[in-house]
Amino acid sequence: MEQTVWNQSDLGISFAASSGRINIFKTTLKALGYPPYFRFLLDTDHKQLGIECCGYESDGSHTLPDDHTQEYYTVNSKDMVRFIYQTCGWDKRFTYRIKGIAIPDRRMVVFDLTTALKVAEFRKVE
């Protein structure tokens, strides 16, 4: 069985169903040039997610804060996270991390959701 190694320099994103949280890694934001606005593009047929630079007027745009000191930027969207988990058949007890590929001429980073790594299991405290 091949083991996947995560390097700190890898472009990445992670999802957590329990909180509806999407964490975009700093490496991904740096590859995008820390855009003031970005949006998600989801291709359900190919199970790919893109993060694309855009303008404030673009549909689905998110604003990136000016503070770039954090290791990741969090977007909370329970509906989107639930939809991605359902589309990919992921186990809601786990968080998932995916490596991205930069596409500089499109000002985009693309993530193949079929390559997601299970990261952690959430356990309810009784």
Side-chain angles (χ1 to χ4, degrees), residues 36-57:
Y37 305 97
F38 66 91
R39 65 181 172 181
F40 296 108
L41 301 173
L42 181 62
D43 178 347
T44 56
D45 292 336
H46 296 100
K47 294 186 180 173
Q48 293 186 337
L49 177 79
I51 299 177
E52 175 185 57
C53 300
C54 66
Y56 74 92
E57 73 289 344

Side-chain angles (χ1 to χ4, degrees), residues 81-95:
V81 172
R82 283 183 191 140
F83 184 74
I84 288 172
Y85 269 71
Q86 182 179 29
T87 299
C88 296
W90 292 347
D91 186 334
K92 293 179 183 174
R93 296 174 298 162
F94 290 87
T95 60

Side-chain angles (χ1 to χ4, degrees), residues 4 6-7 11 31 53-54 60 69 90 104 112:
T4 304
W6 192 274
N7 295 313
L11 308 183
C53 300
C54 66
T69 59
W90 292 347
D112 181 350

Side-chain angles (χ1 to χ4, degrees), residues 56-98:
Y56 74 92
E57 73 289 344
S58 299
D59 289 339
S61 70
H62 295 271
T63 303
L64 184 66
D66 291 332
D67 178 13
H68 303 147
T69 59
Q70 301 297 317
E71 291 304 309
Y72 57 85
Y73 172 69
T74 300
V75 174
N76 294 302
S77 179
K78 286 190 177 200
D79 290 338
M80 182 174 171
V81 172
R82 283 183 191 140
F83 184 74
I84 288 172
Y85 269 71
Q86 182 179 29
T87 299
C88 296
W90 292 347
D91 186 334
K92 293 179 183 174
R93 296 174 298 162
F94 290 87
T95 60
Y96 290 85
R97 180 182 293 174
I98 304 100

Side-chain angles (χ1 to χ4, degrees), residues 1-6 99 115-117:
M1 183 166 139
E2 186 178 327
Q3 183 176 0
T4 304
V5 177
W6 192 274
K99 290 183 182 185
T115 64
L117 305 170

